Amino acid sequence: MKNIRNFCIIAHIDHGKSTLADRLLEFTHTISDRDMQAQVLDDMDLEREKGITIKSHAIQITYPFKGETYTLNLIDTPGHVDFSYEVSRALAACEGALLLVDASQGIQAQTISNLYLAIDNNLEIIPVINKIDMDGAMIEEVKDQIVELIGCKPETILLASAKSGIGIEGILAAIIERIPAPSGNVDAPLQALIFDSVFNSFRGIIIYYRIMNGSLKKGDKIQFASTRTDYFADEVGVLKLTMTAKDEVKTGDVGYIITGIKNAKEVKVGDTITLANNPAEMIKGFEEVKPMVFAGIFPVETDAFEELRDCMDKLQLNDASLTFELETSQALGFGFRCGFLGMLHMEIIQERLEREFNQTVITTVPNVSFIAHTSKGDTITVNNPTEMPDPTKLESIEEPFIKAQIVTHADYIGNIMTLCLGKRGIIINQSYLTSTRVELTFELPLTEIVFDFYDKLKSSTRGYASFDYHPIGYRESDIVKMDILLNSEKVDALSALIHRGRAQDFGRKLCEKLKELLPRQQFQIVIQAAIGAKIVARENISAMRKDVTAKCYGGDISRKRKLLEKQKEGKKRMKQIGNVEVPQEAFLAVLKLD
Ligand code: GDP
Ligand code: MG
């Protein structure tokens, strides 16, 4: 145990976490040159493409140092706020963290929010300034920022370039010399903290854990503390580049277990694995992960519903955080109301449905989860605008709030204030990291973030602001349901829940946007926004006069074919509502309002 070090790398996105992990693995020959490919730890296609780490993974590094051999377990953490609970559990499995800061960017919002999580988990922090090879590197300034933020001595800050391999040896030495070895009692009953799980179509669910106390042998009968259900340890082992089976894993180790579980729902991040015949208490910090954002997913072809259901079932087997239930929409037919951890998670699910399962789907306006209290005294969770009780039967509504950290240049404080106050935000704190860099803390309604907050923040600060947040619970709020009517017909899939003070403006902008997005047809289309019976906005799309293909007559044939193909493509995601054709973009128009 004294030669084990469990650590993670925390950083703002793009500050070089994956690149540094690659260098550490390469330098320690954990991966042979032959197997080396950029960003080895990001192994899902989508992770590579989006350049983000979605799932956390772990890898064991063996490293000789001053005459002894050390086992270093690198636990990779997800880099997106949607997965912040997984980040917190991955951190809880470590004793130390490399805090990586880009020398050209300095401290950003995620640097701070991850640092706070690491401090909450009592981790030893090793600050590292990365990208010192860059022309724009501001090493001294970033040093000052770090000293100011964590109160360390400047000489404890390491300098590195993950790209060119500078400083890697020093980082490894610091991991061994500064991060404490795991503590815990090998003879105590087993307590292993689950920080991740993955689905393997051959082996079922593979659970990743860190053993806090006790030991785990192949063949042991294990128990999950949250549900007190039992399984057999068919295989246990450690995570080298591939899984390496062992007879026994012990206190301090990071490892995997295979139990024959096929459904991801049975395994919960943050839960404790213990032994059925000698159970221990649950490790503190366990939470059931709850979906934060809800949206409808419908097949474009109504008869593809059964097939879609099949795909959703399969997806859920390997993504426990996805929830769904049947939804019927007058406009879109049968589909599913799905719950996601956040907007990125929603995007990932939609892309996986299309890529891995070959489904063509329509996604409706996302909304957060509201709590409605009726005058009769019932409490209803509203995950869908159609579930909102009639206003006359409502006592009150609550909506979820978040605490947001924004890091920016002092020049942009005014713009950010305007933006956040306009989004019903409350400023909680303002503190200077240096004379020109400021950290602002706001409380904001989550629903305002879901829509277009991030893009607005970027444009009002010319990109010089970073942002991170976490949920802080529900608060009472004045929310109304906004309906959209196309030629007097209400389109349930376009309804949205919105704060009363913003409803008028929202309705007007939504009508304008729909006017842009709906194709002209042979007849006039009237678009209306209504709160209850009251129409708050209206737009007209006049009837089309000319045939669209007319301009091609006499033109060259290939151009005409291209146009027809393009129209066919467009058709794929059109939905006929009453007599109006509505394209997919229109269902997400809310996200694109300025
Ligand atoms: P992550 O989001 O923290 O995992 O960041 P990545 O490791 O994906 O790196 C983001 C970008 O920064 C990539 O284009 C890397 O090639 C680049 N990068 C990472 N480390 C360095 C470095 O030390 N120097 C320079 N110049 N670029 C780097
Ligand atoms: Mg990465």
Side-chain angles (χ1 to χ4, degrees), residues 12-19 39 51 130-131 133-134 160-163:
H12 191 74
I13 188 148
D14 283 345
H15 283 199
K17 192 169 67 138
S18 300
T19 311
Q39 317 222 328
N130 187 36
K131 307 199 188 182
D133 62 293
M134 284 181 69
S161 165
K163 192 165 172 184

Side-chain angles (χ1 to χ4, degrees), residues 26 123 148 161 181 199 201 207 232 257 357 494 563 587 589 594:
E26 207 174 55
L123 302 196
E148 185 70 22
S161 165
F199 176 83
S201 44
I207 305 168
F232 282 101
I257 178 171
F357 296 93
L494 287 173
L563 184 75
F587 292 102
D594 347 285

Side-chain angles (χ1 to χ4, degrees), residues 519-546:
R520 286 174 128 206
Q521 289 172 39
Q522 310 290 354
F523 42 82
Q524 174 181 261
I525 304 172
V526 178
I527 307 165
Q528 291 167 307
I531 300 172
K534 189 173 157 222
I535 304 292
V536 297
R538 176 190 165 120
E539 292 285 337
N540 292 337
I541 303 177
S542 51
M544 179 164 62
R545 292 193 203 105
K546 276 192 228 128

Side-chain angles (χ1 to χ4, degrees), residues 375-394:
S375 17
K376 272 200 200 147
D378 294 331
T379 300
I380 301 170
T381 304
V382 179
N383 294 335
N384 187 339
T386 59
E387 295 165 347
M388 187 56 91
D390 191 87
T392 57
K393 296 187 179 113
L394 269 177

Side-chain angles (χ1 to χ4, degrees), residues 251-374:
T251 305
D253 284 337
V254 172
Y256 72 92
I257 178 171
I258 297 172
T259 61
I261 293 175
K262 297 281 184 232
N263 188 345
K265 277 235 166 328
E266 289 175 53
V267 178
K268 300 181 167 88
V269 168
D271 200 355
T272 303
I273 303 173
T274 183
L275 292 179
N277 58 14
N278 189 12
E281 276 181 16
M282 187 170 359
I283 298 160
K284 68 173 184 358
F286 175 66
E287 281 170 31
E288 296 265 1
V289 201
K290 286 210 197 74
M292 301 294 283
V293 172
F294 295 80
I297 291 187
F298 293 85
V300 169
E301 303 296 338
T302 342
D303 54 2
F305 170 72
E306 285 303 331
E307 197 184 320
L308 179 61
R309 182 209 296 272
D310 220 46
C311 302
M312 296 291 291
D313 282 337
K314 287 204 182 103
L315 251 179
Q316 200 180 38
L317 280 185
N318 65 67
D319 184 347
S321 47
L322 168 70
T323 63
F324 63 91
E325 55 185 39
L326 192 73
E327 176 177 5
T328 16
S329 153
Q330 282 160 3
L332 299 175
F334 287 114
F336 299 98
R337 193 71 189 171
C338 305
F340 310 98
L341 297 176
M343 294 297 279
L344 176 71
H345 188 215
M346 170 171 140
E347 215 177 290
I348 291 167
I349 296 293
Q350 195 183 350
E351 280 194 45
R352 290 187 67 188
L353 277 173
E354 305 205 329
R355 284 194 213 186
E356 293 170 34
F357 296 93
N358 210 11
Q359 299 294 301
T360 314
V361 295
I362 284 191
T363 314
T364 61
V365 184
N367 59 261
V368 301
S369 185
F370 296 90
I371 298 174
H373 301 279
T374 66

Side-chain angles (χ1 to χ4, degrees), residues 118-164:
I119 291 171
D120 283 346
N121 284 290
N122 293 319
L123 302 196
E124 177 68 33
I125 312 283
I126 302 174
V128 180
I129 299 179
N130 187 36
K131 307 199 188 182
I132 57 165
D133 62 293
M134 284 181 69
D135 288 340
M138 317 174 287
I139 298 173
E140 288 314 312
E141 191 187 325
V142 176
K143 256 191 193 167
D144 290 345
Q145 291 175 12
I146 294 175
V147 170
E148 185 70 22
L149 182 70
I150 62 180
C152 63
K153 294 206 176 74
E155 54 278 14
T156 61
I157 301 172
L158 304 178
L159 302 182
S161 165
K163 192 165 172 184
S164 19

